[in-house]
Amino acid sequence: MNPFIEELKWRGLLADFIPGTEEQLSKEVTSAYIGFDPTADSLHIGNLIQIKILVHFQKHGHKPIALIGGATGMIGDPSGKLAERCLLDEDTLIHYQNCIKNQLSKFLDFENGAQNKAELVNNYDWMKDFNFIDFAREIGKHLTVNYMMAKDSVKKRLSGDENAEGMSFTEFTYQLLQGYDFLHLYQNKNVKLQMGGSDQWGNITTGTELIRRKIRGEAFALTIPLITKSDGSKFGKSEGGANYWLDKNKTSPYRFYQFWLNASDADAERFIRYFTFLSKEEIESLTAEHLENPHERKLQKKLAEEVTVWVHGKAEYEKALRASDILFGRSTEEELLQLDEKTFLEIFEGVPQKEMRKEDILGIGIIDLLSEKSGFLKSKSEAQREIKGNAISVNKKKITDSFVTDQKHLIDGQYLLLQKGKKNCFVIRMI
């Protein structure tokens, strides 16, 4: 078996491929591409599988090409959707494309000078001057309407599903545009293979068919399974439906780390094969250890470490780990004081907060601060009793009744964390 195909197979990342694909990969260094639609100014964890497939492809000696859909992004892929999405203006799309290019350059090697160095292309570059009449004559005549309507992405939208809103001509032409991308790259960059999610099979094979019919060329397709959670829910979305982004300004490394750490046992067993570069032997050994002591959550911890380091780097992983320790009580005052505002607020999301003036916080005795100033405790007598019982902490540090707040105690210069016992927390924010 071809090493690249074999790796995808044992990792569970192979859905389907056109006969002859394996032979092509074994015969020579092959160029392949995956498309990324510029629908936001950042990629998200739903894109990680496509990125990882390209990384594996390059590691096995082949040439990966990441295609930014500057042109197709103006239309929108109907695959898996019941309604047409809003069309973006050109300036917004250009901004999104530039952001995605910067992100992809973190994962793929574009600079090694070898035959298989990665490449970025944008289909807007070859579509912008292609007028409608020429496109209809040169491309449209090679594929029948019957062929295009047989694709699942079209059939589902035209099947009478009560939730579907039909399909515009704009969306109907999407598969032709994607097919032309493959033809253009085949002719101009010797790209023999297109890869993508299993929902893209119809669009990808439109490209291979166009190449066959127009220039009698032989091209190949390979798809990856769509990733879902073990409970059937959509992978990569929060409970509120928001994405987990790869841009740390949109999803902090701490929150990103927590997503992987909170994976169920069943998901962690799959995700560690999908999303890490650990070897088969390492994963099998780790899985066996996890099954012996599942309460230690070794799989989840290793999964969260590997993916966070890959996406955000070692330093951000270590910060996320410290933040996680703070959340579960295994931390020091010094570690808490090193947190930035965004991470601190994410850790203590949902904890009661009160805004207070500087003069009501700094230089104030702890009894007054705990009770009448903040309202955290009901009375001075309760505050005295809890402090005497060694139950009160300020910034994770036990205090006595002689404690007085100072500027040095403020987290990121404005927050103070009060605690009674382990679970009863209260945040003061200086205004």
Side-chain angles (χ1 to χ4, degrees), residues 238-338:
S238 69
E239 288 183 9
N243 281 312
Y244 285 85
W245 302 97
L246 304 191
D247 183 342
K248 70 177 185 179
N249 295 314
K250 293 169 78 71
T251 297
S252 71
Y254 162 74
R255 190 161 166 262
F256 183 88
Y257 171 80
Q258 286 292 321
F259 171 82
W260 303 101
L261 190 65
N262 290 326
S264 68
D265 286 351
D267 283 338
E269 282 190 45
R270 293 184 303 126
F271 291 173
I272 202 157
R273 286 185 283 117
Y274 296 167
F275 295 101
T276 78
F277 293 92
L278 297 174
S279 69
K280 189 176 184 179
E281 293 72 26
E282 288 175 303
I283 290 173
E284 286 174 349
S285 174
L286 194 62
T287 302
E289 288 179 35
H290 176 81
L291 290 173
E292 285 182 15
N293 299 289
H295 64 281
E296 294 181 6
R297 297 177 66 77
K298 286 185 178 180
L299 268 182
Q300 285 90 340
K301 289 175 183 176
K302 189 63 175 174
L303 170 67
E305 175 188 353
E306 291 290 318
V307 184
T308 305
V309 169
W310 181 45
V311 173
H312 292 297
K314 186 78 170 175
E316 292 292 353
Y317 158 71
E318 288 172 350
K319 282 199 275 185
L321 191 61
R322 286 198 299 271
S324 186
D325 285 342
I326 287 166
L327 178 65
F328 295 107
R330 303 181 300 270
S331 62
T332 64
E333 180 185 30
E334 289 72 28
E335 288 171 328
L336 189 66
L337 289 170
Q338 289 172 15

Side-chain angles (χ1 to χ4, degrees), residues 39-238:
T39 54
D41 59 0
S42 171
L43 298 171
H44 51 78
I45 61 174
N47 301 118
L48 277 180
I49 283 295
Q50 292 101 309
I51 296 170
K52 191 166 182 285
I53 295 300
L54 289 176
V55 174
H56 280 306
F57 195 67
Q58 187 170 40
K59 284 179 179 290
H60 283 283
H62 298 290
K63 182 179 177 68
I65 294 178
L67 181 145
I68 306 294
T72 42
M74 291 181 171
I75 291 175
D77 183 3
S79 301
K81 298 176 179 65
L82 295 175
E84 187 166 358
R85 72 180 180 210
C86 296
L87 303 183
L88 302 172
D89 63 79
E90 190 171 343
D91 288 344
T92 302
L93 276 166
I94 291 170
H95 171 64
Y96 287 177
Q97 292 159 31
N98 291 335
C99 292
I100 291 170
K101 282 181 181 179
N102 290 335
Q103 285 187 328
L104 288 172
S105 64
K106 290 171 53 181
F107 303 104
L108 294 162
D109 187 352
F110 293 89
E111 308 295 336
N112 65 16
Q115 184 182 2
N116 73 325
K117 74 173 182 177
E119 196 172 337
L120 275 166
V121 296
N122 185 341
N123 62 13
Y124 184 72
D125 293 337
W126 57 81
M127 288 301 305
K128 62 185 177 184
D129 298 320
F130 208 160
N131 69 51
F132 177 76
I133 293 174
D134 289 342
F135 187 82
R137 284 172 56 87
E138 294 181 29
I139 306 303
K141 72 174 184 177
H142 292 286
L143 295 173
T144 67
V145 171
N146 288 350
Y147 176 85
M148 295 171 67
M149 288 185 69
K151 300 294 183 180
D152 283 344
S153 60
V154 176
K155 281 198 296 186
K156 287 178 181 176
R157 286 283 289 276
L158 300 179
S159 64
D161 187 316
E162 62 182 17
N163 295 314
E165 61 173 31
M167 177 181 285
S168 68
F169 174 76
T170 304
E171 280 189 306
F172 184 63
T173 60
Y174 184 93
Q175 63 175 291
L176 270 182
L177 293 173
Q178 187 169 326
Y180 178 68
D181 286 342
F182 201 171
L183 173 65
H184 177 89
L185 292 173
Y186 185 94
Q187 291 180 303
N188 292 276
K189 293 187 177 292
N190 196 32
V191 174
K192 299 284 181 69
L193 172 65
Q194 184 182 172
M195 302 184 289
S198 56
D199 63 332
Q200 289 295 306
W201 181 257
N203 290 334
I204 295 173
T205 53
T206 295
T208 61
E209 185 67 8
L210 181 61
I211 290 166
R212 186 187 70 80
R213 293 188 185 188
K214 183 171 172 61
I215 60 173
R216 293 186 173 85
E218 185 179 26
F220 303 93
L222 182 151
T223 57
I224 308 128
L226 295 180
I227 309 300
T228 58
K229 293 184 181 178
S230 55
D231 62 5
S233 62
K234 192 174 176 88
F235 169 78
K237 299 277 189 179
S238 69

